[in-house]
Amino acid sequence: MTRAEPIDDFAARVLDVVESIPPGRVMSYGDIAGYLRRGPGPRQVGRVMSAYGGAVPWWRVIHADGTPAPGHDLAALAHYLAEGTPLRSAGPPVRVDMRRARWPGR
DNA sequence: ATAATGACGTCGG
DNA sequence: TCCGACGCCATTA
């Protein structure tokens, strides 16, 4: 067999971390890649989110500069307001205050 | 097999 | 602050 599973191990780990991020907190793609400490890198984390992000709180995964995922910034803002995520700008462009909102993992 | 692409990150201008 | 160039790496053309 060559690919019996719907998602690979790396993807499963990424999704697991994303679900562990508490409301009002966020992690960048690079943070997640670094937190796993193994795996191809931030770019591939983004690939996983693009493919399976719909199953997890994707709005808590954003760019290192605090800007949310492209194309979803508006929907993300609604979640931030509802969760009380610290914002540096309610945009546009929408920007999360990374200094306060970053979740170091655990 | 080579080139282009992408939900990235960092640096220089 | 905004924008472009690079480096990075799996996927797709």
Side-chain angles (χ1 to χ4, degrees), chain A residues 60-86:
Chain A
R60 294 178 193 155
V61 183
I62 64 182
H63 292 257
D65 63 4
T67 57
H72 299 275
D73 44 323
L74 213 5
L77 176 60
H79 284 290
Y80 299 147
L81 295 176
E83 294 183 357
T85 305

Side-chain angles (χ1 to χ4, degrees), chain A residues 21-71:
Chain A
I21 305 174
R25 291 310 188 94
V26 299
M27 276 181 95
S28 78
Y29 300 92
D31 285 343
I32 294 175
Y35 180 73
L36 296 177
R37 257 180 63 283
R38 70 189 277 182
R43 209 129 198 169
Q44 277 50 251
V45 173
R47 187 167 298 292
V48 172
M49 291 306 292
S50 174
Y52 312 106
V56 296
W58 53 263
W59 58 91
R60 294 178 193 155
V61 183
I62 64 182
H63 292 257
D65 63 4
T67 57

Side-chain angles (χ1 to χ4, degrees), chain A residues 6-33:
Chain A
I7 64 180
D8 32 306
D9 189 49
F10 178 68
R13 245 180 290 192
V14 170
L15 296 177
D16 189 48
V17 174
V18 175
E19 292 207 62
S20 76
I21 305 174
R25 291 310 188 94
V26 299
M27 276 181 95
S28 78
Y29 300 92
D31 285 343
I32 294 175

